[in-house]
Amino acid sequence: MSYDEYNNWVNNGRPEAAAPTSDAATTETPATNNNVAVDGTNIADLQYKANADTDGDSFRSVDEYNNWVNNGRPEAAAPTSDAATTETPATNNTVAVDGTNIADLQYNANADTDGDSFMSVDEYNNWVNNGRPEAAAPASDVATTETPATNNNVAVDGTNIADLQYKANADTDGDSFMSEDEYNYWVNNGRPDAAAPASDVATTETPATNNNVAVDGTNIADLQYHANADANGDGLKSVDEYNNWVNNGRPEAVAPASDVATTETPATNNKVAVDGTNIADLQYNANADANGDGFMSVDEYNNWVNNGRPEAAAPAENTPAANNNQASNNNAGNSTATAGSYADAMNAMNSLRASYGLAPVSYDGGLAATASMRAAMLAGGLDSAHFSQTYGYEVVAIQFGSGAGVISAWYNETNMIGAPGHRNWLLNPSIRYVGFGYDANTATFVGEAR
């Protein structure tokens, strides 16, 4: 009703509208008071009544309400039901037929008769009226059929869904993700163990049943590389390889056949050499450097010891000694630097890396020049360029000399700032080259790497 219609009606003496002829149950009696319905209910307080919605448009006008009241508030005729999914309309918009507040209703798959993953109030009421039947279980001819959960908050054994942990045994489709239904199905079937895959290869790895610890109870975060456990020889030991190795009694790896004098006997203990010397304390020995690369590996040392520590054959006279690792250092106060100048430090670093299953690093002249320049610049102190790593991937030691003792100090973070940065530098698997520089006047030793 617009303002113009109202004003026109007043100006014409507020006449009553002629009542229309009623030949249908849906004729609506107009309200005679715009504030209250014919039964005195405030219009603002009227609630939707499906029985009063005579035109079935899901909106009940005041006229429809008044007409319904005037006709004795009849019940709407129930629709003919010839299908199990016919939904009984709710007669109260606040509560369901069993008195449950509609706002508190939880989804129940048994009540979702049309299978659209949404349970309407009508579906719920119809389900209650029919005695709350269980939904028919789908035919199962596959072992991975999953029993749907009947409660979205807890699993069938009462475990909170939010607290469920992945179980490989419950992952029936092998997609590395355990759904709630897979977990429930696993529980309902007695929590069986997953069938172990057939193993006809020595390197088959037994999967771990706990993501935090290995089969012997060792924390996975604490596992160290073991060459004996590296079944596929890729230089990386997976948790599965470790578990398989443990389950097989921790066998020793088969030693390779040796028909060359320089073949190196692998160490059987990653911490000590065959003569009991700590690997971190090994010093370079030219007699043990079987391939003459200026670096003595742990295997070369062990082979040398096992062969009775022989003296290396003296080089032919008048033949100049080759040194492919020499790098010039033109900084004042320092002599020319070579790999040999820091052989003890190089050997100690590579021995340490070998004990962790890491590849050795090579000496680089360019990095050595930078390290020597930085040693002279720092001269017993540290500057902002060090902390910002302006000149490269750099570590510094002061008053630890220039030999293996520096490597030990870095590894143990002895009086170091920024631990464990120095140990991480030594054991960084990504670096391939290093260079060292030493300022003798201030005992400042610098390592640069890339």
Side-chain angles (χ1 to χ4, degrees):
M1 178 187 72
S2 68
Y3 287 110
D4 290 337
E5 286 178 315
Y6 180 79
N7 289 334
N8 194 46
W9 177 66
V10 171
N11 290 332
N12 285 314
R14 304 176 191 259
E16 294 290 330
T21 303
S22 174
D23 56 3
T26 59
T27 303
E28 302 177 0
T29 304
T32 59
N33 185 319
N34 282 341
N35 294 324
V36 295
V38 293
D39 60 356
T41 303
N42 284 332
I43 289 175
D45 297 331
L46 288 180
Q47 301 294 321
Y48 175 80
K49 302 282 182 180
N51 294 328
D53 184 9
T54 54
D55 55 11
D57 62 355
S58 298
F59 173 75
R60 188 216 59 233
S61 68
V62 178
D63 289 336
E64 284 179 314
Y65 180 81
N66 287 337
N67 195 49
W68 178 65
V69 171
N70 289 333
N71 284 317
R73 306 176 191 258
E75 295 288 331
T80 303
S81 174
D82 56 3
T85 59
T86 302
E87 301 177 1
T88 303
T91 59
N92 184 319
N93 278 344
T94 302
V95 294
V97 293
D98 60 355
T100 303
N101 285 333
I102 288 175
D104 296 331
L105 288 180
Q106 300 293 322
Y107 175 80
N108 192 303
N110 294 324
D112 183 10
T113 53
D114 55 11
D116 61 355
S117 298
F118 173 75
M119 181 191 75
S120 68
V121 178
D122 290 335
E123 284 178 314
Y124 180 81
N125 287 337
N126 196 48
W127 178 65
V128 171
N129 289 332
N130 285 319
R132 304 176 191 259
E134 295 288 331
S140 173
D141 56 4
V142 182
T144 59
T145 301
E146 301 176 2
T147 304
T150 58
N151 185 317
N152 280 341
N153 293 323
V154 295
V156 292
D157 60 355
T159 304
N160 285 332
I161 300 288
D163 296 332
L164 288 180
Q165 300 294 321
Y166 175 80
K167 302 278 183 183
N169 293 330
D171 184 8
T172 52
D173 56 10
D175 62 355
S176 298
F177 173 75
M178 180 192 75
S179 69
E180 179 186 341
D181 289 335
E182 285 178 315
Y183 179 81
N184 287 336
Y185 182 78
W186 179 65
V187 171
N188 288 332
N189 284 305
R191 306 175 191 259
D193 283 324
S199 174
D200 55 4
V201 182
T203 59
T204 301
E205 301 177 2
T206 303
T209 58
N210 184 317
N211 282 339
N212 293 323
V213 295
V215 292
D216 61 355
T218 304
N219 285 333
I220 287 175
D222 297 332
L223 290 180
Q224 301 294 323
Y225 176 81
H226 283 271
N228 294 329
D230 184 6
N232 58 11
D234 62 355
L236 172 73
K237 182 204 69 208
S238 68
V239 178
D240 289 335
E241 285 178 315
Y242 180 81
N243 287 337
N244 196 49
W245 179 63
V246 171
N247 289 332
N248 286 319
R250 305 176 191 259
E252 296 289 331
V254 178
S258 174
D259 55 5
V260 182
T262 59
T263 300
E264 301 176 1
T265 303
T268 58
N269 185 317
N270 280 341
K271 300 296 180 185
V272 296
V274 292
D275 61 355
T277 304
N278 285 331
I279 287 175
D281 296 331
L282 289 179
Q283 302 294 322
Y284 177 79
N285 191 304
N287 294 324
D289 184 6
N291 57 10
D293 62 355
F295 168 71
M296 179 192 76
S297 69
V298 178
D299 289 335
E300 286 178 315
Y301 180 81
N302 286 337
N303 196 50
W304 177 66
V305 171
N306 288 332
N307 286 319
R309 305 176 190 259
E311 295 290 330
E317 207 170 292
N318 298 325
T319 301
N323 188 336
N324 292 327
N325 291 317
Q326 184 167 328
S328 295
N329 180 345
N330 297 320
N331 292 286
N334 292 288
S335 60
T336 299
T338 67
S341 301
Y342 304 110
D344 289 345
M346 278 291 293
N347 191 66
M349 180 176 178
N350 278 326
S351 295
L352 181 63
R353 288 174 65 85
S355 72
Y356 280 88
L358 300 173
V361 292
S362 300
Y363 199 76
D364 182 84
L367 292 174
T370 300
S372 295
M373 176 189 70
R374 289 290 292 149
M377 288 173 64
L378 292 170
L382 297 174
D383 60 12
S384 60
H386 171 67
F387 293 105
S388 63
Q389 298 285 279
T390 301
Y391 289 91
Y393 189 19
E394 177 180 285
V395 285
V396 179
I398 301 171
Q399 300 298 322
F400 286 98
S402 61
V406 175
I407 304 304
S408 178
W410 280 337
Y411 178 75
N412 294 302
E413 295 289 348
T414 306
N415 298 328
M416 297 293 169
I417 298 173
H422 304 83
R423 177 181 292 189
N424 291 345
W425 187 90
L426 291 170
L427 301 178
N428 188 328
S430 299
I431 63 174
R432 291 292 179 266
Y433 302 97
V434 298
F436 297 126
Y438 183 60
D439 182 73
N441 294 328
T442 58
T444 303
F445 191 81
V446 175
E448 299 284 349
R450 65 176 171 86

